[in-house]
Amino acid sequence: MALPLIGPAADLEAFVNAKFLFDYISTIMPQDAPGSLSKQDYLDVLSFLLVENGIVPGERVMTPNQIENFPLQK
Ligand code: HEM
């Protein structure tokens, strides 16, 4: 069981900025194979989560430099 990652009940703001969310995802997720994906895969899934939650405009892929202090408030 986990909080939804997309939609009104998602709580990505709790991660403060995209760097903290990236660090969480890229070290702890997927929970059954933590840290098993490539850095680009984690950037892609982070970008997907930010676009789907309306935090960044569509089709925007985040680069490592851009996520550094990127606030997660909608
Ligand atoms: C790339 C794939 C994945 C991504 C990006 C991802 C992302 C996340 C994020 C961002 C959270 C925190 C949610 C929050 O606190 O608001 C989370 C929590 C969680 N995820 Fe994943 N997840 C992935 C795959 C998985 C898989 C495959 C599993 C299960 C096998 C899983 C199980 C969980 C669980 C149980 C939590 C809750 C952890 C807790 O409450 O401490 N996740 N995930």
Side-chain angles (χ1 to χ4, degrees):
M1 299 302 293
L3 283 175
L5 299 180
I6 294 171
D11 183 26
L12 298 184
E13 287 91 335
F15 289 91
V16 185
N17 68 38
K19 179 74 171 65
F20 288 146
L21 179 56
F22 178 81
D23 291 345
Y24 178 92
I25 291 174
S26 60
T27 53
I28 300 175
M29 294 296 143
Q31 204 190 45
D32 58 347
S36 61
L37 307 180
S38 70
K39 185 167 184 179
Q40 188 55 51
D41 284 342
Y42 284 118
L43 278 173
D44 292 347
V45 75
L46 172 75
S47 304
F48 176 76
L49 290 177
L50 298 184
V51 169
E52 291 298 311
N53 282 292
I55 296 169
V56 295
E59 307 311 318
R60 168 134 174 224
V61 174
M62 304 295 285
T63 65
N65 295 338
Q66 285 166 325
I67 64 172
E68 203 51 52
N69 298 305
F70 195 93
L72 290 184
Q73 283 70 35
K74 285 185 188 140

